[in-house]
C-alpha cells in the first residue's frame, strides 16, 4: 500500500509517496534526487526528533502505513543533513504558516430578524 509523506527540514517541505515496504535508505535516495544530498549525509527521524530511522528498516517498521499516512493527511518525517564537521545538524522545522483571517465580507452573515418574517 502507498504511504504519503511530508519530509520537512527548516523551511523546506517535500511531499512524496512510497510503499510501506520501502526502506529508509530507498526513501533517502528519493530525497537525494530532489535535494542533491547523498543518502549517507541525510538522517531521517520522527517529527519530534526522538527516534532516528535505521536505513535497513522499512517505513512500516516506524508505523508509516496506508492508515497513518494518507494522501489527505500525510505523515511528517523530519530530515537533517550532515555538516562539514561530520556531525548532523540539530532538528529545525519551521512551523507551517496559518491562513489569514477571512475578510468581513466573506464571513457568514447572521440572518437579520426582519428577514425571518
Amino acid at each position: 500500500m502507498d504511504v504519503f509523506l511530508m519530509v520537512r527540514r527548516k523551511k523546506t517541505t517535500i511531499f512524496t509517496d512510497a510503499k510501506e515496504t520501502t526502506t529508509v535508505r530507498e526513501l533517502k535516495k528519493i530525497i537525494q534526487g530532489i535535494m542533491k544530498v547523498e543518502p549517507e549525509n541525510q538522517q531521517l527521524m520522527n517529527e519530534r526528533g526522538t527516534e532516528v530511522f535505521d536505513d535497513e528498516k522499512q517505513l512500516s517498521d516506524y508505523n508509516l502505513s496506508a492508515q497513518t499516512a494518507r494522501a489527505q493527511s500525510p505523515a511528517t518525517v523530519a530530515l537533517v543533513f550532515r555538516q562539514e564537521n561530520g556531525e548532523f545538524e540539530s532538528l529545525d522545522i519551521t512551523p507551517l504558516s496559518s491562513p489569514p483571517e477571512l475578510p468581513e465580507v466573506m464571513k457568514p452573515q447572521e440572518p437579520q430578524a426582519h428577514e425571518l418574517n
Side-chain angles (χ1 to χ4, degrees):
M1 299 290 293
D2 282 344
V3 295
F4 295 87
L5 304 171
M6 186 167 54
V7 181
R8 304 210 47 223
R9 174 185 176 263
K10 298 187 179 186
K11 291 184 179 183
T12 301
T13 303
I14 301 168
F15 289 93
T16 190
D17 65 328
K19 301 288 183 201
E20 291 178 7
T21 56
T22 300
T23 65
V24 171
R25 183 178 302 283
E26 291 168 335
L27 178 57
K28 287 181 175 184
K29 288 180 182 176
I30 293 169
I31 295 167
Q32 177 186 14
I34 298 165
M35 301 292 291
K36 309 299 185 227
V37 175
E38 297 293 323
E40 55 271 8
N41 293 326
Q42 301 175 31
Q43 190 175 67
L44 296 174
M45 59 189 77
N46 64 6
E47 66 182 309
R48 292 176 304 285
T50 57
E51 182 177 20
V52 175
F53 295 175
D54 183 329
D55 284 358
E56 306 310 316
K57 289 193 175 183
Q58 296 181 351
L59 297 179
S60 59
D61 294 330
Y62 295 103
N63 199 30
L64 297 172
S65 66
Q67 291 75 38
T68 61
R70 300 183 308 277
Q72 66 273 26
S73 178
T76 300
V77 175
L79 169 67
V80 294
F81 292 152
R82 188 182 309 274
Q83 301 175 85
E84 289 182 17
N85 65 5
E87 299 290 319
F88 283 100
E89 63 192 10
S90 59
L91 179 60
D92 179 17
I93 297 176
T94 303
L96 297 171
S97 62
S98 299
E101 190 174 327
L102 280 174
E104 288 297 320
V105 297
M106 295 182 73
K107 290 183 180 177
Q109 298 296 317
E110 295 292 324
Q112 300 296 325
H114 66 276
E115 291 176 4
L116 297 174
N117 297 332

